[in-house]
Amino acid sequence: MGMRDEDNTKLIARLPTPMHLDLKAQAKAAGRSLNAEIVHRLAQTLGEDFAAEQPEAQPVLAEMAGYLRELRDMARAQAEQSRLSAAAAAD
């Protein structure tokens, strides 16, 4: 379920062009919008800050991070497989 508009704050930011292009490419590879990619990365950073402040939570957070990496890799593999299937069907 997505966030309601009143749960969000609009932010306008200036980014160096190479960073913007890299974020767009990373977002596309992850199947996310640019906004979702930026929010995802900020959440990761804030989560790392939380883990640093909560040593007892670090093992659980590390395990969760591993699961998230596995899910990301599976999603990327599925997206690539779908892309290849679509390309083969178009031929």
Side-chain angles (χ1 to χ4, degrees), residues 11-29:
L11 170 71
I12 298 174
R14 295 183 194 279
L15 300 174
T17 299
M19 181 185 290
H20 179 247
L21 295 173
D22 187 45
L23 281 168
K24 282 176 60 175
Q26 294 295 321
K28 184 176 182 180

Side-chain angles (χ1 to χ4, degrees), residues 28-86:
K28 184 176 182 180
R32 289 190 277 266
S33 68
L34 177 59
N35 184 74
E37 183 68 18
I38 292 169
V39 170
H40 171 76
R41 288 170 177 261
L42 286 171
Q44 283 183 319
T45 300
L46 294 173
E48 290 170 6
D49 290 347
F50 171 79
E53 295 170 5
Q54 307 294 324
E56 65 278 0
Q58 289 180 357
V60 174
L61 292 170
E63 184 177 357
M64 289 173 63
Y67 291 141
L68 288 172
R69 281 190 292 276
E70 287 179 35
L71 286 170
R72 179 202 60 210
D73 293 344
M74 290 178 359
R76 285 181 178 169
Q78 181 63 41
E80 179 64 13
Q81 184 177 3
S82 295
R83 187 188 68 74
L84 292 173
S85 294

